[in-house]
């Protein structure tokens, strides 16, 4: 059985936010606004999501 997957959508622009938050959004794999990415859940991924949670919409699938 595979681990839980997370569907993340970038719903707010990182423009005007701290540089570390912009780098975190890029590290998650986002390139454009409203882009959706599916990744396997992990503690490191959860930490990155927690840092920029105000920019993302996250769903477990």
């Amino acid at each position: 059985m595979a681990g839980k997957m997370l569907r993340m959508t970038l719903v707010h622009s990182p423009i005007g936010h701290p540089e570390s938050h912009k780098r975190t959004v890029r590290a998650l794999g986002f390139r454009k606004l409203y882009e959706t990415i599916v990744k396997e859940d992990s503690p490191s991924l959860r930490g990155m999501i927690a840092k920029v949670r105000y920019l993302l919409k996250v769903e477990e699938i």
Side-chain angles (χ1 to χ4, degrees):
M1 179 176 175
K4 285 191 262 182
M5 300 296 284
L6 297 176
R7 180 184 307 146
M8 303 172 289
T9 304
L10 184 63
V11 294
H12 296 285
S13 172
I15 294 173
H17 294 286
E19 187 63 31
S20 64
H21 292 200
K22 292 178 187 179
R23 287 194 306 262
T24 301
V25 168
R26 283 295 282 185
L28 285 169
F30 291 105
R31 295 182 186 277
K32 297 188 285 185
L33 196 55
Y34 298 109
E35 182 175 10
T36 299
I37 294 176
V38 177
K39 292 194 176 221
E40 189 169 349
D41 194 5
S42 70
S44 60
L45 182 64
R46 288 285 183 161
M48 294 170 75
I49 290 169
K51 186 172 186 176
V52 293
R53 66 187 172 276
Y54 63 96
L55 300 174
L56 304 175
K57 176 182 168 192
V58 181
E59 304 169 283
E60 286 187 13
I61 54 173

